[in-house]
Amino acid sequence: MADREDVHRIALALPGPSEGEDHFAFSVLNKGKQKGFVWAWNERVAPKKARVPHAGVVAVRVADQHEKEALLASGEEKFFTEPHYNGFPAVLVRLPLIDVAELEELIADAWRCQASRALAGAWERDVGRTRANAPAPCLIGARETGISRPTFPLPEADREAVLASPDRSPGDLHGVLAVPAETGPRRRSGRSRPPG
């Protein structure tokens, strides 16, 4: 079970975050602009009235619409959306229903989507999240592989072995079809509008 204090702690533990001054939101500087990666969900409690922040729900940026659809299709009550977020790569998360470890992963992935490649790559190297001599992870759309999390490209020999195996499962393709890191992360551009 997570809460806003956990979101605050996780977001500020990442490199270069900025905290919203007048509302609960976190962003990272990329190409001279602040890019939001997690923020408070503002709920419309009455028609034609202003939205109000909901303390138990945050909006979290995702890589693309495919990742959003995969999280929503999981059938778990902790993930949901509303018409305001149609076409926008973010998912709403009910904090009381998500454990802190999963929230950490979700927020780190959201930060990666918005941080510059240089900053994300430096962070990955600093925290030892990449294997020795392996390129930084790349985001691949779920349509290509069924995987919407960062993947690590496998060495050529391992890739050939996995693809040649007659009894492989779809999960074995994790890392096999990854885009080389030199091409950069693959991101889908959604309709651009301010968070909230």
Side-chain angles (χ1 to χ4, degrees):
M1 181 171 166
D3 58 23
R4 275 195 175 190
E5 288 181 22
D6 294 314
V7 173
H8 189 264
R9 177 186 50 77
I10 295 165
L12 291 181
L14 295 164
S18 294
E19 188 173 359
E21 293 178 15
D22 58 345
H23 58 285
F24 188 79
F26 300 90
S27 60
V28 63
L29 190 65
N30 186 347
K31 297 181 183 176
K33 294 182 180 179
Q34 289 293 328
K35 306 282 188 164
F37 60 94
V38 62
W39 57 92
W41 173 55
N42 293 323
E43 180 180 21
R44 187 170 310 279
V45 293
K48 299 190 181 198
K49 298 288 181 184
R51 291 174 173 263
V52 295
H54 188 293
V57 177
V58 292
V60 179
R61 184 70 184 231
V62 294
D64 56 29
Q65 284 296 117
H66 300 294
E67 183 173 2
K68 178 180 181 175
E69 291 166 12
L71 289 170
L72 295 173
S74 70
E76 298 182 58
E77 288 183 38
K78 60 187 160 195
F79 302 118
F80 71 105
T81 191
E82 66 167 350
H84 180 75
Y85 287 93
N86 286 348
F88 189 77
V91 66
L92 300 172
V93 180
R94 291 180 177 99
L95 294 174
L97 301 181
I98 191 167
D99 64 51
V100 175
E102 187 176 9
L103 182 64
E104 286 175 348
E105 180 182 345
L106 201 60
I107 292 174
D109 287 348
W111 176 86
R112 274 188 208 98
C113 291
Q114 299 296 71
S116 68
R117 274 189 251 166
L119 183 60
W123 179 70
E124 291 287 340
R125 286 186 299 280
D126 288 346
V127 297
R129 293 183 187 264
T130 57
R131 296 184 301 186
N133 302 319
C138 301
L139 294 174
I140 317 175
R143 186 182 336 168
E144 288 85 354
T145 63
I147 302 166
S148 59
R149 294 277 183 222
T151 62
F152 296 90
L154 289 175
E156 190 65 35
D158 294 343
R159 185 178 305 133
E160 290 174 11
V162 170
L163 290 172
S165 174
D167 51 325
R168 71 170 191 257
S169 71
D172 294 337
L173 295 179
H174 183 74
V176 173
L177 303 174
V179 176
E182 295 77 24
T183 63
R186 180 177 176 162
R187 297 184 180 131
R188 289 193 139 9
S189 58
R191 198 166 60 188
S192 182
R193 64 176 155 190

